[in-house]
Amino acid sequence: MSSHADRLRLLREELARRRLDGFVVPLTDEHLSEYVGAYAQRLLWLTGFEGSAGAAVVLPEEAAIFVDGRYTLQVRDQVSADTWSYQSVPETSVAKWLRDHARPGARIGYDPWLHTKANVEAARGALAANGAEMVAVESNPVDAVWADRPEPSTARLVVQPDALAGRSSALKRQDIADALAAKDTDAVVLCALDSIAWAFNVRGRDVAHTPVALAYALVRANATAELFVDPAKVDETVLAHLGNAVAVRPREAFAASLDALSGQRVSVDPDRAVAAIFERLESAGAKIVERRDPVVLPKAIKNEAEIAGIVAAHLRDGAAVTRFLHWVDTVAAAVGGETELSAAARLEAFRAETGALRDLSFDTISGSGPNGAVVHYRVTEKTVRPIEAGTLYLVDSGAQYEDGTTDITRTIAIGEPTAEMRDRFTRVLKGHIALATALFPAGTRGGQLDTLARQHLWAAGLDYAHGTGHGVGHYLSVHEGPQRIAALSGGQAGGDEPLRAGMILSNEPGYYKAGHWGIRVENLIRVAERAVAGAEKPVLGFETLTLAPIDRRLIDLALLTPAERDWIDAYHARVLAEIGPLVPADVADWLGRAAAPL
C-alpha cells in the first residue's frame, strides 16, 4: 500500500499533467452527504484523516487540511505534519487560504460534482484579486491516481413500510407537487440521499451506517417523478411499491435529463445541490428557482407513526445499552482485561441480540482516558487503550432500527473519580438538565437555547468546541437538518432554524481535558407542545427519548439544586420503570442500584 506522502506526490504529478496549479478535495460525495460511501472517501485516501467533516487543498509546494474544533486533536494524530499544514475552521476557510497561498495566475481545479455553487463562487472571488482562477475538471484527478478505489455499492433498495413511515410515498409526492404548483414551479431536483429515501419510502445500504441509496430524483408539479438509480438495485417489490407514477432511470442518465428541463421553472436547493447541477440547468435554459428542498422540513417534523417507532426503538436500545453499562461496571471495571475495541464490540453484540438491529448509526466512539478527550475519536488497533482504573470511559454510540435511529453518550467512572472529574461532570449534567427542562415560545431557534447547556461550564471558565444538539432522522441519518442547537454565529454556528413540535434533536453538552479524559452526557429529545397556564403564545419544551442510567458516582451533589436532583431522580425512576422489565434479572438488580434516588 502506498504511503500518504506517495499519494500526495502522485496527485501533484497528475495535476501537473492537467496544467493545474492546485486542487480542492472536500469530504463529501455528489449529493453533498456528510457520511459517504467508500468510493467517495477521497480525503481519507489522500491524507489519512478519518473524521466526518473536512477538506484539503493541494498546491505544488504546500498542502493544507481544514477541520473544525471537533477534530483539532484527531487531525494531528492521523495526518502528517511533514506534508500537511493544519487549518482551523472557521478561523480560516478554503477560499481565504487560497487567496493567501495560491500564486498569481494560478489555475486551481475543483470537481463541480463535489462543491456547492456558493463555495465555488467564494473561492473564485478570493482568487480574482491576484488573477488566479477556479477551473472545473471533467474527471476527478484523485480518482485518476487512486488505483484501488472501491466501486459504488450495488446493494438493493428496500421498501420502508407505510405503517412505519406514517404516510405513503404517493401522498408525500403529492404534497411536494402541491408546494410546486403553489409557487408556479414545474419541477424540483432532489439530491440529498435522505430526502429521496424519505420521499419515496425506500431505504438502501450504499453508505455505511446511513440507510440510503445513491440516487437523484425529479418530482414534477403533477406528482409524477423520475428516480435515477442503478436499475439493478430495484426489484419487483420496489417497483410495485413505487407505482406507475414513478419512472426508474439509470443514475448515469441524471445529468442529461436536466437538459430536458429547458424553459421550465425548476426548484433547486443551493445548500443541497452541487454546482454542476446549476451549471447544467443554466446551460439547458431552465429557469432556476433557488429554494429549500421541500422534503427537509416535513422529514424533520416527525408524524405520529414515526414518533411511535422512535419511542419503541429507544426502549429496545435503552435495554441493550443498560445491559452494556452493567457489563462495563461488573466485568470491564471490576475484572479488567477489556479495551476500547472489545467494549465497542460488546455493545454492538447487545444491540444485535435484540434481533432488530439493521446497522450502527455511526462508528462507536469508545474512548478511555485521553482518547475520550478526542471529540469524534475512532478506535483502531493502533490507538486502542485498555479500560483501566483511575480513568473515565466515554462511549458515544447509536443504532439503526427499522422503526428508529438512536444516539446516546454515557461517561463512566472506572474506579474512584477525582474531585475534578466530578465537578466537570456535574457541570455538564447541569447544562444537560437545563436544556431538557427548558420551556420556550414557538418560533425559538436552537441557537437561542445553546447557552443553557454551557452556562455552568462558562461560570468556571470552561466550554466545549462542538454544537449542543443535532437533528436525528427516522431510520435515516443520525445527523439531520435543519434543526440544530448550536451558536447562531462562530465556529459551531447553525442553530438558526425555528424549533417545531415533532423535531428530534440530541442534547449533548460535554467537557474535554486534552490528554486526560472527556465527558459527554447525551440523550435524544423530542420537541413537544407544552401547556402553560396563562401563556399568551404557544409554548414548546422537550421530551426525553433516551433511557439509560447516568453514572451517579460522577455527580457532586453539592453542586445540584433541589430541582436538578428531582430531575435526575425522576429520570432514573422512569429508566427503572420502563427499562427494568426489559433486561435480565441480574441487570435489573444492578439497575435498581444504578438508578436509585440520589
Side-chain angles (χ1 to χ4, degrees):
M1 180 184 293
S2 59
S3 70
H4 292 106
D6 288 337
R7 295 172 184 181
L8 181 58
R9 175 183 53 79
L10 288 171
L11 178 58
R12 282 179 168 144
E13 291 172 357
E14 179 67 19
L15 296 179
R17 279 191 288 272
R18 300 188 185 203
R19 296 191 305 109
L20 293 172
D21 302 299
F23 191 69
V24 182
V25 184
L27 200 176
T28 192
D29 60 12
E30 308 92 314
H31 308 272
L32 298 176
S33 306
E34 176 183 11
Y35 298 108
V36 302
Y39 80 97
Q41 288 280 7
R42 297 176 179 92
L43 189 67
L44 170 61
W45 179 84
L46 180 64
T47 69
F49 177 61
E50 297 177 353
S52 62
V57 177
V58 176
L59 298 179
E61 302 298 331
E62 57 183 325
I65 184 165
F66 300 76
V67 298
D68 63 43
R70 294 172 295 173
Y71 301 108
T72 301
L73 299 178
Q74 183 175 340
V75 73
R76 285 162 172 77
D77 288 339
Q78 296 176 340
V79 180
S80 173
D82 294 337
T83 47
W84 296 90
S85 68
Y86 310 123
Q87 304 298 321
S88 180
V89 176
E91 288 76 13
T92 189
S93 67
V94 168
K96 291 176 184 176
W97 192 88
L98 279 170
R99 178 195 62 200
D100 297 335
H101 292 260
R103 67 170 178 79
R107 301 174 75 250
I108 307 299
Y110 73 97
D111 186 337
W113 286 95
L114 299 177
H115 296 267
T116 64
K117 185 178 69 164
N119 284 345
V120 174
E121 290 173 349
R124 272 201 185 115
L127 288 171
N130 63 354
E133 61 178 328
M134 294 293 289
V135 178
V137 298
E138 292 188 9
S139 64
N140 196 302
V142 175
D143 299 350
V145 297
W146 186 355
D148 56 351
R149 179 175 171 241
E151 292 294 325
S153 164
T154 57
R156 290 194 168 191
L157 278 70
V158 296
V159 174
Q160 179 72 349
D162 289 356
L164 294 175
R167 194 167 177 79
S168 72
S169 173
L171 288 174
K172 291 178 179 180
R173 294 195 311 273
Q174 187 61 57
D175 288 343
I176 295 171
D178 292 344
L180 291 173
K183 297 289 187 179
D184 191 27
T185 307
D186 297 298
V188 60
V189 178
L190 298 182
C191 309
L193 299 181
D194 59 342
S195 288
I196 293 166
W198 187 89
F200 290 87
N201 282 353
V202 293
R203 298 295 188 267
R205 291 189 291 116
D206 290 351
V207 177
H209 309 319
T210 307
V212 294
L214 295 172
Y216 294 98
L218 285 173
V219 181
R220 302 179 185 276
N222 63 2
T224 63
E226 294 172 78
L227 181 63
F228 297 88
V229 63
D230 180 355
K233 300 162 74 72
V234 182
D235 62 18
E236 293 299 324
T237 300
V238 175
L239 283 174
H241 159 75
L242 293 172
N244 295 331
V246 179
V248 175
R249 309 202 187 287
R251 185 165 175 260
E252 294 75 19
F254 170 68
S257 75
L258 300 177
D259 298 339
L261 298 174
S262 175
Q264 298 186 40
R265 287 172 55 83
V266 182
S267 178
V268 189
D269 188 336
D271 293 328
R272 293 170 178 82
V274 295
I277 292 173
F278 284 89
E279 293 165 7
R280 191 76 179 237
L281 287 169
E282 289 167 0
S283 297
K287 170 63 177 175
I288 299 174
V289 180
E290 294 192 8
R291 189 178 296 136
R292 184 155 76 177
D293 175 343
V295 173
V296 166
L297 201 55
K299 175 168 59 66
I301 301 172
K302 309 307 188 267
N303 60 44
E304 290 184 4
E306 290 173 320
I307 291 170
I310 290 166
V311 169
H314 277 84
L315 285 171
R316 182 186 312 116
D317 200 61
V321 172
T322 297
R323 292 180 66 194
F324 171 73
L325 295 174
H326 166 259
W327 176 86
V328 171
D329 210 30
T330 59
V331 176
V335 179
E338 302 295 338
T339 70
E340 296 165 336
L341 281 171
S342 67
R346 196 72 200 90
L347 176 53
E348 183 172 0
F350 282 127
R351 285 181 162 126
E353 287 171 18
T354 67
L357 182 69
R358 296 291 182 266
D359 195 355
L360 302 182
S361 56
F362 55 96
D363 288 319
T364 297
I365 299 169
S366 177
S368 175
N371 287 342
V374 180
V375 178
H376 276 201
Y377 172 67
R378 181 179 178 184
V379 58
T380 66
E381 293 287 355
K382 180 180 177 181
T383 65
V384 64
R385 293 180 61 89
I387 297 174
E388 55 191 353
T391 64
L392 297 181
Y393 173 55
L394 184 154
V395 56
D396 184 348
S397 69
Q400 295 283 9
Y401 304 105
E402 192 179 29
D403 51 1
T405 301
T406 69
D407 184 1
I408 172 175
T409 308
R410 289 295 181 264
T411 305
I412 307 155
I414 308 299
E416 183 65 25
T418 67
E420 182 187 28
M421 291 173 177
R422 297 174 72 235
D423 176 273
R424 302 305 191 249
F425 181 90
T426 307
R427 291 178 185 278
V428 169
L429 180 58
K430 285 166 69 72
H432 179 98
I433 295 168
L435 185 59
T437 58
L439 296 176
F440 47 94
T444 298
R445 271 84 171 149
Q448 294 173 273
L449 304 178
D450 184 67
T451 54
L452 294 177
R454 299 179 190 268
Q455 60 181 313
H456 302 288
L457 290 166
W458 283 0
L462 310 169
D463 202 358
Y464 50 93
H466 59 76
T468 298
H470 56 81
V472 178
H474 174 246
Y475 189 35
L476 278 172
S477 178
V478 74
H479 288 170
E480 177 182 83
Q483 71 275 27
R484 191 165 180 232
I485 300 173
L488 290 170
S489 62
Q492 295 299 324
D496 199 32
E497 181 71 26
L499 301 182
R500 296 169 173 87
M503 287 180 167
I504 308 294
L505 299 110
S506 64
N507 173 3
E508 52 179 311
Y511 171 74
Y512 310 91
K513 185 174 183 180
H516 296 273
W517 36 260
I519 292 166
R520 189 157 63 249
V521 178
E522 177 187 18
N523 288 339
L524 296 193
I525 51 180
R526 175 171 71 92
V527 183
E529 296 177 353
R530 286 284 186 260
V532 176
E536 297 180 353
K537 56 175 61 179
V539 176
L540 299 173
F542 295 117
E543 290 185 359
T544 295
L545 296 164
T546 305
L547 294 171
I550 295 166
D551 195 340
R552 297 163 72 257
R553 297 165 299 190
L554 282 166
I555 299 174
D556 184 344
L557 297 181
L559 292 178
L560 296 180
T561 66
E564 290 165 343
R565 290 181 62 146
D566 289 347
W567 184 92
I568 296 167
D569 285 346
Y571 176 75
H572 275 151
R574 186 179 161 211
V575 170
L576 193 57
E578 298 188 41
I579 300 300
L582 305 179
V583 296
D586 60 330
V587 180
D589 289 344
W590 172 87
L591 181 60
R593 297 187 296 275
L598 293 175

